[in-house]
Amino acid sequence: MIDDATRPWPAAPEGSSSASPHVNVEVAIIGAGIHGCALARELTLRGVSCAVVDKGAVGGGTSQWSSQLLHGGIRYLQTGDIRQMREGLSERATWATLAPWRTRWESFWMPHRGLFEGLSHRLGIGLYDAWGKDRPGWPAAFKLGSVPKAQFAADGRAVDTPFRGAVAYADLLTWDRDLVKDLAASSTATWLDFHEVEGFEMDAGKLKSARLRDRRDGTARILAAPVWVFALGPWNDQCLHQWFGETWKRLRLSSGLHIWFDAPELLSRCARPWAMMQGHGRILFVIPRDGLLQVGTTERAVEEGCVPILDSERDELYRALEANIPSVAWRSLPVRLEEIGVRPLVRPPKDYAGTAKLSREAVLETHPKLANLRLVLGGKLTTARALMDRLATELSGQPCPRSRTEPLTKWDGQAPPMQ
Ligand SMILES: Cc1cc2nc3c(=O)[nH]c(=O)nc-3n(C[C@H](O)[C@H](O)[C@H](O)COP(=O)(O)OP(=O)(O)OC[C@H]3O[C@@H](n4cnc5c(N)ncnc54)[C@H](O)[C@@H]3O)c2cc1C
């Protein structure tokens, strides 16, 4: 079993970058997660030059530890954020068009405990699927709405469960890190991965250039640009403190744990993914995918972008599984992988104790002191393209309808897209 929790900042690979010692571009992006890479594609589509810097690998941050769903957010049925839901449903269809090889439609079952809960799920899910009826490539064999009783009872998870039935809804699975790499491959940006930012030069209240050090071979580089975007995910506050001494926090961070079980016998008895409402907008997922059973996720307030998995957090996930699916001996199933990711959530003006209630919506902020620096705060995989489309339009003055239709370039899985 790999314990993903104790990872250090990834070591740089052997070799060197072919980038020149002085890189001059129109837009400099720091952070090569889904937001940084989506922005690089948007700028390329508009003919604007850019460079993307990351301390680690492309797609090596939070964007590789998500639940891997491109979704409208079924949890918003509880939190009532219909605008975010509708944006997610629309973006889901866009991703299915841009990268069909990185997406797979699924019919999720949402189990219910009794008649009243079943009726309310049918109503909410009815709206969710009606608003999300644009589903390019949806397999005709997948049924939505009430799951027939016999079919629900035949699922290996239904034995002794408190649930009496289920309603099926549609959502889109993805492979998050590969999707990020496809976005990177769809751009002509200069890629400066495994580069440490050593400092910045300023000029008249603006960022002018950054001093970089290649972590592979120690080469020094200067990156200069008139416009800067930081897309640092959960590391935003930490980096602004390190680079500019800022102490106020724009984000609240929340870790989420996934466990991947290697349980072929149970897997063979699981029909479709289950999504179980846990209250306060929390969902417990049990998803058969890639020959494994993916379960998650938890929600714990944390202070850093990389955190260890706590025993209490793991125990919380097991207890939720045992309460909802008691016939499975979860703690004795072989675990292939445990993964913990940290969600960057925008800190609201009035702070709450828990993070489950916080919006997943992103904010684009112009730095209050550095007029040419934009910060990407919060957000989701699902809405990253749309948000970066808006930002690129703003920065370049050029809208680009092709952003919603031009297929991504497939990263071939052999060579990093940035070489
Ligand atoms: C448990 C969990 C489940 C989730 N599930 C979903 C889901 O199902 N669907 C969905 O749409 N969203 C989901 N999300 C949200 C989504 O994963 C994130 O919001 C998104 O990946 C953030 O992308 P980003 O580009 O902003 O950040 P990141 O991917 O973290 O990118 C930031 C980059 O900045 C780099 N960086 C950090 N420090 C420095 C530095 N000093 N110098 C240079 N570079 C630096 C990092 O290496 C990293 O590559 C989930 C999040 C979590 C944690």
Side-chain angles (χ1 to χ4, degrees), residues 9 30-31 33-35 54-55 61-63 65-69 71 231-235 239 243 256 341-343 379-382:
W9 201 267
I30 307 197
I34 193 147
H35 286 111
D54 201 290
K55 189 169 169 180
T62 309
S63 300
W65 300 307
S66 79
S67 299
Q68 314 206 65
L69 301 172
H71 59 142
L232 289 158
W235 290 277
C239 287
W243 296 333
V342 173
R343 300 176 188 89
K380 294 179 293 205
L381 297 175
T382 312

PDB file of all heavy atoms in Angstrom, residues 9 30-31 33-35 54-55 61-63 65-69 71 231-235 239 243 256 341-343 379-382, ligand 1:
ATOM      1  N   TRP A   9       7.761  17.534  -1.139  1.00  0.00           N
ATOM      2  CA  TRP A   9       7.621  18.201  -2.434  1.00  0.00           C
ATOM      3  C   TRP A   9       8.391  17.334  -3.439  1.00  0.00           C
ATOM      4  O   TRP A   9       9.528  16.953  -3.173  1.00  0.00           O
ATOM      5  CB  TRP A   9       8.215  19.610  -2.343  1.00  0.00           C
ATOM      6  CG  TRP A   9       7.676  20.474  -3.420  1.00  0.00           C
ATOM      7  CD1 TRP A   9       8.246  20.672  -4.641  1.00  0.00           C
ATOM      8  CD2 TRP A   9       6.457  21.205  -3.409  1.00  0.00           C
ATOM      9  NE1 TRP A   9       7.446  21.489  -5.393  1.00  0.00           N
ATOM     10  CE2 TRP A   9       6.346  21.837  -4.659  1.00  0.00           C
ATOM     11  CE3 TRP A   9       5.437  21.391  -2.474  1.00  0.00           C
ATOM     12  CZ2 TRP A   9       5.258  22.641  -5.002  1.00  0.00           C
ATOM     13  CZ3 TRP A   9       4.365  22.186  -2.811  1.00  0.00           C
ATOM     14  CH2 TRP A   9       4.280  22.800  -4.053  1.00  0.00           C
ATOM     15  N   ILE A  30       1.913  31.444 -12.876  1.00  0.00           N
ATOM     16  CA  ILE A  30       2.609  30.603 -11.897  1.00  0.00           C
ATOM     17  C   ILE A  30       1.602  29.619 -11.332  1.00  0.00           C
ATOM     18  O   ILE A  30       0.561  30.003 -10.793  1.00  0.00           O
ATOM     19  CB  ILE A  30       3.291  31.429 -10.788  1.00  0.00           C
ATOM     20  CG1 ILE A  30       4.190  32.486 -11.443  1.00  0.00           C
ATOM     21  CG2 ILE A  30       4.099  30.511  -9.875  1.00  0.00           C
ATOM     22  CD1 ILE A  30       5.206  33.111 -10.577  1.00  0.00           C
ATOM     23  N   GLY A  31       1.908  28.335 -11.498  1.00  0.00           N
ATOM     24  CA  GLY A  31       1.002  27.261 -11.070  1.00  0.00           C
ATOM     25  C   GLY A  31       0.493  26.504 -12.293  1.00  0.00           C
ATOM     26  O   GLY A  31      -0.217  27.075 -13.119  1.00  0.00           O
ATOM     27  N   GLY A  33      -1.521  23.757 -12.400  1.00  0.00           N
ATOM     28  CA  GLY A  33      -2.656  22.864 -12.133  1.00  0.00           C
ATOM     29  C   GLY A  33      -3.682  23.072 -13.241  1.00  0.00           C
ATOM     30  O   GLY A  33      -3.362  23.624 -14.314  1.00  0.00           O
ATOM     31  N   ILE A  34      -4.931  22.677 -12.976  1.00  0.00           N
ATOM     32  CA  ILE A  34      -5.927  22.784 -14.060  1.00  0.00           C
ATOM     33  C   ILE A  34      -6.164  24.239 -14.455  1.00  0.00           C
ATOM     34  O   ILE A  34      -6.346  24.544 -15.643  1.00  0.00           O
ATOM     35  CB  ILE A  34      -7.248  22.065 -13.720  1.00  0.00           C
ATOM     36  CG1 ILE A  34      -8.090  21.946 -15.004  1.00  0.00           C
ATOM     37  CG2 ILE A  34      -8.032  22.775 -12.605  1.00  0.00           C
ATOM     38  CD1 ILE A  34      -8.941  20.736 -15.101  1.00  0.00           C
ATOM     39  N   HIS A  35      -6.087  25.169 -13.474  1.00  0.00           N
ATOM     40  CA  HIS A  35      -6.340  26.562 -13.836  1.00  0.00           C
ATOM     41  C   HIS A  35      -5.198  27.128 -14.686  1.00  0.00           C
ATOM     42  O   HIS A  35      -5.444  27.733 -15.733  1.00  0.00           O
ATOM     43  CB  HIS A  35      -6.564  27.411 -12.577  1.00  0.00           C
ATOM     44  CG  HIS A  35      -7.909  27.167 -11.942  1.00  0.00           C
ATOM     45  ND1 HIS A  35      -8.060  26.544 -10.738  1.00  0.00           N
ATOM     46  CD2 HIS A  35      -9.161  27.437 -12.392  1.00  0.00           C
ATOM     47  CE1 HIS A  35      -9.356  26.452 -10.449  1.00  0.00           C
ATOM     48  NE2 HIS A  35     -10.047  26.981 -11.445  1.00  0.00           N
ATOM     49  N   ASP A  54       6.057  26.080 -12.600  1.00  0.00           N
ATOM     50  CA  ASP A  54       5.596  25.283 -11.459  1.00  0.00           C
ATOM     51  C   ASP A  54       6.811  24.746 -10.707  1.00  0.00           C
ATOM     52  O   ASP A  54       7.809  24.364 -11.315  1.00  0.00           O
ATOM     53  CB  ASP A  54       4.694  24.120 -11.907  1.00  0.00           C
ATOM     54  CG  ASP A  54       3.815  23.627 -10.766  1.00  0.00           C
ATOM     55  OD1 ASP A  54       4.354  23.018  -9.802  1.00  0.00           O
ATOM     56  OD2 ASP A  54       2.601  23.871 -10.812  1.00  0.00           O
ATOM     57  N   LYS A  55       6.657  24.716  -9.388  1.00  0.00           N
ATOM     58  CA  LYS A  55       7.742  24.200  -8.552  1.00  0.00           C
ATOM     59  C   LYS A  55       7.880  22.683  -8.730  1.00  0.00           C
ATOM     60  O   LYS A  55       8.935  22.098  -8.533  1.00  0.00           O
ATOM     61  CB  LYS A  55       7.402  24.539  -7.096  1.00  0.00           C
ATOM     62  CG  LYS A  55       8.489  24.276  -6.111  1.00  0.00           C
ATOM     63  CD  LYS A  55       8.110  24.896  -4.780  1.00  0.00           C
ATOM     64  CE  LYS A  55       9.041  24.431  -3.680  1.00  0.00           C
ATOM     65  NZ  LYS A  55       8.703  25.019  -2.388  1.00  0.00           N
ATOM     66  N   GLY A  61      -0.240  19.013  -8.509  1.00  0.00           N
ATOM     67  CA  GLY A  61      -0.782  19.533  -7.245  1.00  0.00           C
ATOM     68  C   GLY A  61      -2.162  18.961  -6.966  1.00  0.00           C
ATOM     69  O   GLY A  61      -2.451  17.804  -7.268  1.00  0.00           O
ATOM     70  N   THR A  62      -3.023  19.807  -6.427  1.00  0.00           N
ATOM     71  CA  THR A  62      -4.374  19.374  -6.052  1.00  0.00           C
ATOM     72  C   THR A  62      -5.135  18.733  -7.203  1.00  0.00           C
ATOM     73  O   THR A  62      -5.959  17.850  -6.986  1.00  0.00           O
ATOM     74  CB  THR A  62      -5.210  20.603  -5.607  1.00  0.00           C
ATOM     75  OG1 THR A  62      -4.457  21.289  -4.640  1.00  0.00           O
ATOM     76  CG2 THR A  62      -6.535  20.204  -5.031  1.00  0.00           C
ATOM     77  N   SER A  63      -4.836  19.204  -8.424  1.00  0.00           N
ATOM     78  CA  SER A  63      -5.593  18.718  -9.574  1.00  0.00           C
ATOM     79  C   SER A  63      -5.399  17.224  -9.827  1.00  0.00           C
ATOM     80  O   SER A  63      -6.071  16.668 -10.683  1.00  0.00           O
ATOM     81  CB  SER A  63      -5.223  19.521 -10.824  1.00  0.00           C
ATOM     82  OG  SER A  63      -5.522  20.879 -10.626  1.00  0.00           O
ATOM     83  N   TRP A  65      -5.583  15.078  -7.138  1.00  0.00           N
ATOM     84  CA  TRP A  65      -6.140  14.383  -5.967  1.00  0.00           C
ATOM     85  C   TRP A  65      -7.616  14.668  -5.795  1.00  0.00           C
ATOM     86  O   TRP A  65      -8.137  14.671  -4.679  1.00  0.00           O
ATOM     87  CB  TRP A  65      -5.387  14.797  -4.690  1.00  0.00           C
ATOM     88  CG  TRP A  65      -3.930  14.491  -4.724  1.00  0.00           C
ATOM     89  CD1 TRP A  65      -3.364  13.268  -4.997  1.00  0.00           C
ATOM     90  CD2 TRP A  65      -2.832  15.390  -4.499  1.00  0.00           C
ATOM     91  NE1 TRP A  65      -1.981  13.366  -4.953  1.00  0.00           N
ATOM     92  CE2 TRP A  65      -1.633  14.652  -4.641  1.00  0.00           C
ATOM     93  CE3 TRP A  65      -2.745  16.737  -4.178  1.00  0.00           C
ATOM     94  CZ2 TRP A  65      -0.377  15.222  -4.479  1.00  0.00           C
ATOM     95  CZ3 TRP A  65      -1.487  17.313  -4.018  1.00  0.00           C
ATOM     96  CH2 TRP A  65      -0.323  16.554  -4.161  1.00  0.00           C
ATOM     97  N   SER A  66      -8.305  14.932  -6.891  1.00  0.00           N
ATOM     98  CA  SER A  66      -9.730  15.258  -6.794  1.00  0.00           C
ATOM     99  C   SER A  66     -10.560  13.980  -6.792  1.00  0.00           C
ATOM    100  O   SER A  66     -10.020  12.887  -6.916  1.00  0.00           O
ATOM    101  CB  SER A  66     -10.141  16.136  -7.980  1.00  0.00           C
ATOM    102  OG  SER A  66     -10.312  15.330  -9.129  1.00  0.00           O
ATOM    103  N   SER A  67     -11.862  14.138  -6.711  1.00  0.00           N
ATOM    104  CA  SER A  67     -12.752  12.970  -6.836  1.00  0.00           C
ATOM    105  C   SER A  67     -12.920  12.576  -8.306  1.00  0.00           C
ATOM    106  O   SER A  67     -13.610  11.609  -8.609  1.00  0.00           O
ATOM    107  CB  SER A  67     -14.130  13.264  -6.231  1.00  0.00           C
ATOM    108  OG  SER A  67     -14.006  13.562  -4.866  1.00  0.00           O
ATOM    109  N   GLN A  68     -12.341  13.356  -9.202  1.00  0.00           N
ATOM    110  CA  GLN A  68     -12.326  13.058 -10.642  1.00  0.00           C
ATOM    111  C   GLN A  68     -13.714  13.071 -11.272  1.00  0.00           C
ATOM    112  O   GLN A  68     -14.031  12.237 -12.108  1.00  0.00           O
ATOM    113  CB  GLN A  68     -11.627  11.734 -10.926  1.00  0.00           C
ATOM    114  CG  GLN A  68     -10.315  11.593 -10.168  1.00  0.00           C
ATOM    115  CD  GLN A  68      -9.332  10.657 -10.850  1.00  0.00           C
ATOM    116  OE1 GLN A  68      -8.863  10.945 -11.939  1.00  0.00           O
ATOM    117  NE2 GLN A  68      -9.041   9.548 -10.221  1.00  0.00           N
ATOM    118  N   LEU A  69     -14.535  14.021 -10.807  1.00  0.00           N
ATOM    119  CA  LEU A  69     -15.879  14.159 -11.378  1.00  0.00           C
ATOM    120  C   LEU A  69     -16.009  15.521 -12.035  1.00  0.00           C
ATOM    121  O   LEU A  69     -15.643  16.536 -11.439  1.00  0.00           O
ATOM    122  CB  LEU A  69     -16.935  14.065 -10.269  1.00  0.00           C
ATOM    123  CG  LEU A  69     -16.945  12.769  -9.465  1.00  0.00           C
ATOM    124  CD1 LEU A  69     -17.898  12.882  -8.292  1.00  0.00           C
ATOM    125  CD2 LEU A  69     -17.343  11.615 -10.364  1.00  0.00           C
ATOM    126  N   HIS A  71     -18.832  17.719 -12.873  1.00  0.00           N
ATOM    127  CA  HIS A  71     -20.195  17.565 -12.376  1.00  0.00           C
ATOM    128  C   HIS A  71     -20.914  18.890 -12.174  1.00  0.00           C
ATOM    129  O   HIS A  71     -20.284  19.941 -12.068  1.00  0.00           O
ATOM    130  CB  HIS A  71     -20.169  16.778 -11.047  1.00  0.00           C
ATOM    131  CG  HIS A  71     -19.356  17.447  -9.974  1.00  0.00           C
ATOM    132  ND1 HIS A  71     -19.729  17.453  -8.663  1.00  0.00           N
ATOM    133  CD2 HIS A  71     -18.200  18.136 -10.016  1.00  0.00           C
ATOM    134  CE1 HIS A  71     -18.836  18.106  -7.945  1.00  0.00           C
ATOM    135  NE2 HIS A  71     -17.898  18.517  -8.738  1.00  0.00           N
ATOM    136  N   ALA A 231      -1.888  31.028 -10.224  1.00  0.00           N
ATOM    137  CA  ALA A 231      -2.929  29.983 -10.109  1.00  0.00           C
ATOM    138  C   ALA A 231      -2.354  28.885  -9.225  1.00  0.00           C
ATOM    139  O   ALA A 231      -2.028  27.799  -9.685  1.00  0.00           O
ATOM    140  CB  ALA A 231      -3.290  29.463 -11.500  1.00  0.00           C
ATOM    141  N   LEU A 232      -2.201  29.222  -7.962  1.00  0.00           N
ATOM    142  CA  LEU A 232      -1.408  28.404  -7.046  1.00  0.00           C
ATOM    143  C   LEU A 232      -2.238  27.459  -6.190  1.00  0.00           C
ATOM    144  O   LEU A 232      -1.709  26.858  -5.241  1.00  0.00           O
ATOM    145  CB  LEU A 232      -0.579  29.336  -6.149  1.00  0.00           C
ATOM    146  CG  LEU A 232       0.560  30.044  -6.891  1.00  0.00           C
ATOM    147  CD1 LEU A 232       0.984  31.314  -6.163  1.00  0.00           C
ATOM    148  CD2 LEU A 232       1.750  29.100  -7.071  1.00  0.00           C
ATOM    149  N   GLY A 233      -3.530  27.326  -6.517  1.00  0.00           N
ATOM    150  CA  GLY A 233      -4.380  26.401  -5.766  1.00  0.00           C
ATOM    151  C   GLY A 233      -4.279  26.669  -4.273  1.00  0.00           C
ATOM    152  O   GLY A 233      -4.282  27.833  -3.842  1.00  0.00           O
ATOM    153  N   PRO A 234      -4.131  25.612  -3.455  1.00  0.00           N
ATOM    154  CA  PRO A 234      -4.111  25.822  -2.000  1.00  0.00           C
ATOM    155  C   PRO A 234      -2.831  26.472  -1.480  1.00  0.00           C
ATOM    156  O   PRO A 234      -2.733  26.794  -0.306  1.00  0.00           O
ATOM    157  CB  PRO A 234      -4.249  24.389  -1.446  1.00  0.00           C
ATOM    158  CG  PRO A 234      -3.793  23.498  -2.545  1.00  0.00           C
ATOM    159  CD  PRO A 234      -4.096  24.204  -3.833  1.00  0.00           C
ATOM    160  N   TRP A 235      -1.839  26.670  -2.369  1.00  0.00           N
ATOM    161  CA  TRP A 235      -0.570  27.281  -1.941  1.00  0.00           C
ATOM    162  C   TRP A 235      -0.585  28.804  -2.095  1.00  0.00           C
ATOM    163  O   TRP A 235       0.429  29.458  -1.874  1.00  0.00           O
ATOM    164  CB  TRP A 235       0.598  26.681  -2.734  1.00  0.00           C
ATOM    165  CG  TRP A 235       0.861  25.257  -2.368  1.00  0.00           C
ATOM    166  CD1 TRP A 235       1.605  24.803  -1.305  1.00  0.00           C
ATOM    167  CD2 TRP A 235       0.371  24.082  -3.034  1.00  0.00           C
ATOM    168  NE1 TRP A 235       1.597  23.425  -1.277  1.00  0.00           N
ATOM    169  CE2 TRP A 235       0.856  22.958  -2.332  1.00  0.00           C
ATOM    170  CE3 TRP A 235      -0.430  23.862  -4.143  1.00  0.00           C
ATOM    171  CZ2 TRP A 235       0.560  21.652  -2.708  1.00  0.00           C
ATOM    172  CZ3 TRP A 235      -0.724  22.559  -4.525  1.00  0.00           C
ATOM    173  CH2 TRP A 235      -0.234  21.474  -3.814  1.00  0.00           C
ATOM    174  N   CYS A 239       2.440  31.217  -0.659  1.00  0.00           N
ATOM    175  CA  CYS A 239       3.376  31.836  -1.612  1.00  0.00           C
ATOM    176  C   CYS A 239       3.361  33.355  -1.477  1.00  0.00           C
ATOM    177  O   CYS A 239       4.421  33.992  -1.523  1.00  0.00           O
ATOM    178  CB  CYS A 239       3.015  31.433  -3.041  1.00  0.00           C
ATOM    179  SG  CYS A 239       3.428  29.718  -3.396  1.00  0.00           S
ATOM    180  N   TRP A 243       6.689  35.357  -0.791  1.00  0.00           N
ATOM    181  CA  TRP A 243       7.245  36.254  -1.812  1.00  0.00           C
ATOM    182  C   TRP A 243       7.068  37.734  -1.470  1.00  0.00           C
ATOM    183  O   TRP A 243       7.890  38.561  -1.805  1.00  0.00           O
ATOM    184  CB  TRP A 243       6.596  35.975  -3.178  1.00  0.00           C
ATOM    185  CG  TRP A 243       6.910  34.594  -3.702  1.00  0.00           C
ATOM    186  CD1 TRP A 243       8.019  33.850  -3.418  1.00  0.00           C
ATOM    187  CD2 TRP A 243       6.108  33.788  -4.575  1.00  0.00           C
ATOM    188  NE1 TRP A 243       7.959  32.630  -4.059  1.00  0.00           N
ATOM    189  CE2 TRP A 243       6.800  32.566  -4.784  1.00  0.00           C
ATOM    190  CE3 TRP A 243       4.879  33.955  -5.206  1.00  0.00           C
ATOM    191  CZ2 TRP A 243       6.306  31.537  -5.588  1.00  0.00           C
ATOM    192  CZ3 TRP A 243       4.392  32.928  -6.014  1.00  0.00           C
ATOM    193  CH2 TRP A 243       5.104  31.742  -6.200  1.00  0.00           C
ATOM    194  N   GLY A 256      -9.447  16.346   1.739  1.00  0.00           N
ATOM    195  CA  GLY A 256     -10.405  15.295   1.408  1.00  0.00           C
ATOM    196  C   GLY A 256      -9.658  14.011   1.117  1.00  0.00           C
ATOM    197  O   GLY A 256      -8.675  14.001   0.372  1.00  0.00           O
ATOM    198  N   GLY A 341      -6.153  15.173  -0.820  1.00  0.00           N
ATOM    199  CA  GLY A 341      -5.957  16.428  -1.542  1.00  0.00           C
ATOM    200  C   GLY A 341      -6.493  17.565  -0.687  1.00  0.00           C
ATOM    201  O   GLY A 341      -7.282  17.339   0.236  1.00  0.00           O
ATOM    202  N   VAL A 342      -6.052  18.771  -1.002  1.00  0.00           N
ATOM    203  CA  VAL A 342      -6.488  19.940  -0.231  1.00  0.00           C
ATOM    204  C   VAL A 342      -7.257  20.891  -1.135  1.00  0.00           C
ATOM    205  O   VAL A 342      -6.731  21.382  -2.130  1.00  0.00           O
ATOM    206  CB  VAL A 342      -5.273  20.640   0.427  1.00  0.00           C
ATOM    207  CG1 VAL A 342      -5.699  21.947   1.079  1.00  0.00           C
ATOM    208  CG2 VAL A 342      -4.637  19.713   1.458  1.00  0.00           C
ATOM    209  N   ARG A 343      -8.514  21.120  -0.783  1.00  0.00           N
ATOM    210  CA  ARG A 343      -9.363  22.025  -1.576  1.00  0.00           C
ATOM    211  C   ARG A 343      -9.043  23.474  -1.225  1.00  0.00           C
ATOM    212  O   ARG A 343      -9.074  23.837  -0.044  1.00  0.00           O
ATOM    213  CB  ARG A 343     -10.850  21.815  -1.246  1.00  0.00           C
ATOM    214  CG  ARG A 343     -11.382  20.443  -1.512  1.00  0.00           C
ATOM    215  CD  ARG A 343     -12.844  20.346  -1.041  1.00  0.00           C
ATOM    216  NE  ARG A 343     -13.325  18.976  -1.118  1.00  0.00           N
ATOM    217  CZ  ARG A 343     -13.220  18.094  -0.139  1.00  0.00           C
ATOM    218  NH1 ARG A 343     -12.661  18.420   1.005  1.00  0.00           N
ATOM    219  NH2 ARG A 343     -13.680  16.869  -0.302  1.00  0.00           N
ATOM    220  N   GLY A 379     -12.182  27.364  -6.683  1.00  0.00           N
ATOM    221  CA  GLY A 379     -12.567  26.769  -7.968  1.00  0.00           C
ATOM    222  C   GLY A 379     -12.548  25.256  -7.985  1.00  0.00           C
ATOM    223  O   GLY A 379     -12.213  24.600  -6.998  1.00  0.00           O
ATOM    224  N   LYS A 380     -12.920  24.730  -9.135  1.00  0.00           N
ATOM    225  CA  LYS A 380     -13.065  23.275  -9.331  1.00  0.00           C
ATOM    226  C   LYS A 380     -12.485  22.897 -10.681  1.00  0.00           C
ATOM    227  O   LYS A 380     -12.379  23.737 -11.573  1.00  0.00           O
ATOM    228  CB  LYS A 380     -14.560  22.904  -9.371  1.00  0.00           C
ATOM    229  CG  LYS A 380     -15.296  23.122  -8.098  1.00  0.00           C
ATOM    230  CD  LYS A 380     -16.746  22.741  -8.267  1.00  0.00           C
ATOM    231  CE  LYS A 380     -17.438  23.682  -9.211  1.00  0.00           C
ATOM    232  NZ  LYS A 380     -18.871  23.798  -9.050  1.00  0.00           N
ATOM    233  N   LEU A 381     -12.224  21.614 -10.844  1.00  0.00           N
ATOM    234  CA  LEU A 381     -11.842  21.119 -12.171  1.00  0.00           C
ATOM    235  C   LEU A 381     -12.927  21.508 -13.169  1.00  0.00           C
ATOM    236  O   LEU A 381     -12.655  21.998 -14.264  1.00  0.00           O
ATOM    237  CB  LEU A 381     -11.782  19.581 -12.192  1.00  0.00           C
ATOM    238  CG  LEU A 381     -10.795  18.823 -11.331  1.00  0.00           C
ATOM    239  CD1 LEU A 381     -11.053  17.334 -11.483  1.00  0.00           C
ATOM    240  CD2 LEU A 381      -9.369  19.146 -11.725  1.00  0.00           C
ATOM    241  N   THR A 382     -14.173  21.229 -12.780  1.00  0.00           N
ATOM    242  CA  THR A 382     -15.304  21.339 -13.692  1.00  0.00           C
ATOM    243  C   THR A 382     -15.410  22.720 -14.340  1.00  0.00           C
ATOM    244  O   THR A 382     -15.683  22.831 -15.526  1.00  0.00           O
ATOM    245  CB  THR A 382     -16.613  21.053 -12.920  1.00  0.00           C
ATOM    246  OG1 THR A 382     -16.429  19.853 -12.164  1.00  0.00           O
ATOM    247  CG2 THR A 382     -17.791  20.903 -13.854  1.00  0.00           C
TER     248      THR A 382
HETATM  249  C1  LIG B   1     -10.509  15.801  -2.195  1.00  0.00           C
HETATM  250  C2  LIG B   1     -10.869  16.704  -3.345  1.00  0.00           C
HETATM  251  C3  LIG B   1     -11.858  16.311  -4.226  1.00  0.00           C
HETATM  252  C4  LIG B   1     -12.197  17.148  -5.291  1.00  0.00           C
HETATM  253  N1  LIG B   1     -13.096  16.698  -6.195  1.00  0.00           N
HETATM  254  C5  LIG B   1     -13.404  17.461  -7.258  1.00  0.00           C
HETATM  255  C6  LIG B   1     -14.268  16.963  -8.251  1.00  0.00           C
HETATM  256  O1  LIG B   1     -14.708  15.810  -8.211  1.00  0.00           O
HETATM  257  N2  LIG B   1     -14.593  17.787  -9.289  1.00  0.00           N
HETATM  258  C7  LIG B   1     -14.101  19.050  -9.384  1.00  0.00           C
HETATM  259  O2  LIG B   1     -14.482  19.733 -10.334  1.00  0.00           O
HETATM  260  N3  LIG B   1     -13.240  19.547  -8.484  1.00  0.00           N
HETATM  261  C8  LIG B   1     -12.865  18.773  -7.422  1.00  0.00           C
HETATM  262  N4  LIG B   1     -11.974  19.225  -6.497  1.00  0.00           N
HETATM  263  C9  LIG B   1     -11.436  20.587  -6.629  1.00  0.00           C
HETATM  264  C10 LIG B   1     -10.259  20.626  -7.599  1.00  0.00           C
HETATM  265  O3  LIG B   1      -9.470  19.468  -7.521  1.00  0.00           O
HETATM  266  C11 LIG B   1      -9.372  21.827  -7.297  1.00  0.00           C
HETATM  267  O4  LIG B   1     -10.129  22.963  -7.015  1.00  0.00           O
HETATM  268  C12 LIG B   1      -8.473  22.141  -8.492  1.00  0.00           C
HETATM  269  O5  LIG B   1      -7.744  20.993  -8.851  1.00  0.00           O
HETATM  270  C13 LIG B   1      -7.528  23.278  -8.161  1.00  0.00           C
HETATM  271  O6  LIG B   1      -6.718  23.479  -9.275  1.00  0.00           O
HETATM  272  P1  LIG B   1      -5.641  24.623  -9.255  1.00  0.00           P
HETATM  273  O7  LIG B   1      -5.048  24.686 -10.603  1.00  0.00           O
HETATM  274  O8  LIG B   1      -6.240  25.863  -8.713  1.00  0.00           O
HETATM  275  O9  LIG B   1      -4.601  24.135  -8.137  1.00  0.00           O
HETATM  276  P2  LIG B   1      -3.459  23.010  -8.210  1.00  0.00           P
HETATM  277  O10 LIG B   1      -3.828  21.866  -9.066  1.00  0.00           O
HETATM  278  O11 LIG B   1      -3.064  22.705  -6.811  1.00  0.00           O
HETATM  279  O12 LIG B   1      -2.285  23.781  -8.934  1.00  0.00           O
HETATM  280  C14 LIG B   1      -1.470  24.707  -8.242  1.00  0.00           C
HETATM  281  C15 LIG B   1      -0.036  24.486  -8.695  1.00  0.00           C
HETATM  282  O13 LIG B   1       0.783  25.445  -8.039  1.00  0.00           O
HETATM  283  C16 LIG B   1       2.038  24.843  -7.843  1.00  0.00           C
HETATM  284  N5  LIG B   1       2.807  25.561  -6.826  1.00  0.00           N
HETATM  285  C17 LIG B   1       2.618  25.543  -5.504  1.00  0.00           C
HETATM  286  N6  LIG B   1       3.545  26.286  -4.907  1.00  0.00           N
HETATM  287  C18 LIG B   1       4.349  26.799  -5.878  1.00  0.00           C
HETATM  288  C19 LIG B   1       5.477  27.634  -5.890  1.00  0.00           C
HETATM  289  N7  LIG B   1       6.028  28.109  -4.767  1.00  0.00           N
HETATM  290  N8  LIG B   1       6.034  27.947  -7.071  1.00  0.00           N
HETATM  291  C20 LIG B   1       5.516  27.470  -8.234  1.00  0.00           C
HETATM  292  N9  LIG B   1       4.452  26.656  -8.280  1.00  0.00           N
HETATM  293  C21 LIG B   1       3.868  26.328  -7.115  1.00  0.00           C
HETATM  294  C22 LIG B   1       1.698  23.420  -7.438  1.00  0.00           C
HETATM  295  O14 LIG B   1       2.796  22.551  -7.673  1.00  0.00           O
HETATM  296  C23 LIG B   1       0.502  23.119  -8.321  1.00  0.00           C
HETATM  297  O15 LIG B   1       0.868  22.403  -9.484  1.00  0.00           O
HETATM  298  C24 LIG B   1     -11.573  18.398  -5.437  1.00  0.00           C
HETATM  299  C25 LIG B   1     -10.569  18.794  -4.553  1.00  0.00           C
HETATM  300  C26 LIG B   1     -10.196  17.934  -3.533  1.00  0.00           C
HETATM  301  C27 LIG B   1      -9.080  18.329  -2.640  1.00  0.00           C
END
